Amino acid sequence: MIEPITGPRILTFTEACTYLGVKKATLYNWIGADKIPAFKVDGSRVWKFDRADLDAWIEKQKVGGSNDY
């Protein structure tokens, strides 16, 4: 049986990099190109990521999935 992922639902930029296994520059590029779901909270300059949104985005990236995020 697969264990559910535990931890925070909302990830920081650094946590998202670790979760996705990518470098900070890669994640910044994806955000800038609107390729990945990210948000800022009420005027904040800090990017945040909903883990469920990232999981859905990952599924779309798989071979045979829809790549129109």
Side-chain angles (χ1 to χ4, degrees):
M1 179 176 176
I2 297 174
E3 295 283 328
I5 296 173
T6 59
R9 176 179 170 206
I10 303 301
L11 304 177
T12 65
F13 188 87
T14 302
E15 290 169 336
C17 286
T18 300
Y19 188 66
L20 296 169
V22 298
K23 295 181 180 183
K24 290 181 179 183
T26 300
L27 191 52
Y28 276 123
N29 287 336
W30 288 348
I31 293 168
D34 289 328
K35 291 186 174 184
I36 194 162
F39 63 94
K40 293 181 180 179
V41 178
D42 197 24
S44 170
R45 298 182 340 160
V46 180
W47 287 106
K48 300 286 185 174
F49 304 83
D50 185 314
R51 194 176 64 220
D53 289 346
L54 292 180
D55 289 340
W57 178 81
I58 290 167
E59 285 300 314
K60 289 181 180 180
Q61 304 311 304
K62 291 181 179 179
V63 174
S66 171
N67 289 325
D68 29 88
Y69 182 82

